């Protein structure tokens, strides 16, 4: 069952409340909420916001722990170019980009599709990029208990592009390393392997 369908079926009261709040906001901004093009906007916006913040209802560690498999492999595993979309908690404007994640197994590997799912869980909350990087890193480190974890995120922030300084070509890169990736040789190997994907 998709998060979107879940909200449609189980959070009707919340959806109605959020819809009415959007209706008030749109009215306060000077728009006619009864205009044909705007008539269904409050409900659409409510559903969109509930979907974009659906990560609060998901336990990321359960996703990982439910797909851990014993394996003797102990070399670096990298999942790169993971698309991410989140909302800046300061302006409720989107930021988007890519995550590159690596870990070195310590007796267990995890299903590869679970790594992007972890990114989605933490991205679908009101975020700052620094915390998003930390959330992903610590979840993998605490749940999988690997020999090391590395996370690099590069993102563009609409709050910088559309308002404020209005710098359309700026990007922000954050990183975090644990375990063996705190060793410069291992960290540099990881950064070299993903370097073609960083601008």
């Amino acid at each position: 069952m998709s998060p979107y369908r879940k909200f449609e079926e189980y959070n009707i009261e919340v959806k109605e409340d959020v819809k009415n709040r959007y209706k008030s906001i749109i009215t306060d901004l000077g728009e006619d909420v009864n205009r044909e093009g705007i008539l269904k906007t409050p409900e659409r916006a409510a559903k969109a916001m509930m979907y974009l913040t659906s990560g609060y209802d998901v336990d990321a560690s359960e996703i990982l722990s439910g797909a851990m498999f014993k394996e003797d492999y102990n070399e670096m595993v990298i999942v790169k170019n993971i698309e991410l979309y989140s909302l800046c908690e300061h302006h409720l404007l989107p930021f988007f980009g890519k995550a590159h994640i690596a870990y070195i197994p310590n007796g267990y590997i995890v299903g590869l599709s679970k790594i992007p799912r972890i990114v989605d869980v933490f991205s679908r909350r009101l975020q700052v990029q620094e915390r998003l990087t930390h959330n992903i890193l610590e979840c993998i480190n605490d749940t999988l208990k690997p020999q090391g974890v590395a996370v690099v995120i590069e993102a563009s922030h609409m709050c910088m592009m559309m308002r404020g300084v209005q710098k359309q070509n700026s990007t922000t890169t954050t990183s975090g390393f644990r375990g063996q990736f705190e060793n410069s040789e291992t960290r540099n190997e990881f950064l070299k392997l993903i370097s073609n994907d960083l601008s």
Side-chain angles (χ1 to χ4, degrees):
M1 182 179 295
S2 72
Y4 192 85
R5 182 179 295 255
K6 173 185 171 186
F7 285 128
E8 287 266 63
E9 293 179 357
Y10 298 114
N11 291 313
I12 295 173
E13 289 183 12
V14 175
K15 184 191 74 175
E16 286 300 307
D17 184 47
V18 175
K19 180 183 82 172
N20 289 331
R21 290 171 189 269
Y22 269 116
K23 193 172 182 179
S24 296
I25 291 169
I26 292 168
T27 300
D28 289 344
L29 293 174
E31 183 57 82
D32 178 8
V33 291
N34 296 310
R35 184 166 65 81
E36 182 181 7
I38 300 291
L39 197 59
K40 294 184 178 180
T41 296
E43 182 167 359
R44 291 189 191 107
K47 289 179 180 178
M49 183 58 73
M50 293 172 74
Y51 176 75
L52 294 172
T53 57
S54 60
Y56 290 114
D57 295 327
V58 183
D59 186 335
S61 61
E62 284 188 7
I63 291 173
L64 286 182
S65 60
M68 290 171 57
F69 308 99
K70 281 199 168 195
E71 188 60 56
D72 290 334
Y73 186 82
N74 61 0
E75 300 294 331
M76 193 182 304
V77 178
I78 301 176
V79 183
K80 61 183 182 178
N81 295 324
I82 303 168
E83 294 181 4
L84 68 87
Y85 304 90
S86 192
L87 290 176
C88 163
E89 67 181 36
H90 299 141
H91 303 98
L92 301 186
L93 288 173
F95 67 92
F96 55 93
K98 292 181 179 180
H100 309 282
I101 300 171
Y103 74 97
I104 300 173
N106 188 22
Y108 287 90
I109 60 170
V110 67
L112 293 177
S113 67
K114 306 309 176 187
I115 301 293
R117 285 195 65 192
I118 295 305
V119 174
D120 284 346
V121 167
F122 290 116
S123 296
R124 289 175 186 163
R125 301 178 183 184
L126 302 183
Q127 279 287 14
V128 294
Q129 186 174 329
E130 296 86 345
R131 187 192 311 119
L132 177 59
T133 304
H134 180 78
N135 287 157
I136 295 167
L137 182 75
E138 293 303 322
C139 178
I140 296 171
N141 193 55
D142 293 346
T143 308
L144 196 54
K145 301 190 187 310
Q147 297 180 58
V149 187
V151 177
V152 171
I153 293 177
E154 183 180 52
S156 298
H157 294 249
M158 297 305 287
C159 58
M160 290 181 64
M161 298 167 71
M162 293 178 65
R163 62 170 306 284
V165 295
Q166 297 184 36
K167 300 301 180 187
Q168 281 74 32
N169 296 313
S170 65
T171 57
T172 300
T173 302
T174 50
S175 62
F177 306 98
R178 293 290 182 274
Q180 287 195 19
F181 287 98
E182 295 177 275
N183 175 289
S184 60
E185 185 177 346
T186 307
R187 182 169 64 250
N188 289 338
E189 180 185 353
F190 165 68
L191 293 174
K192 182 179 179 181
L193 288 168
I194 67 167
S195 61
N196 291 337
D197 299 302
L198 297 176
S199 60

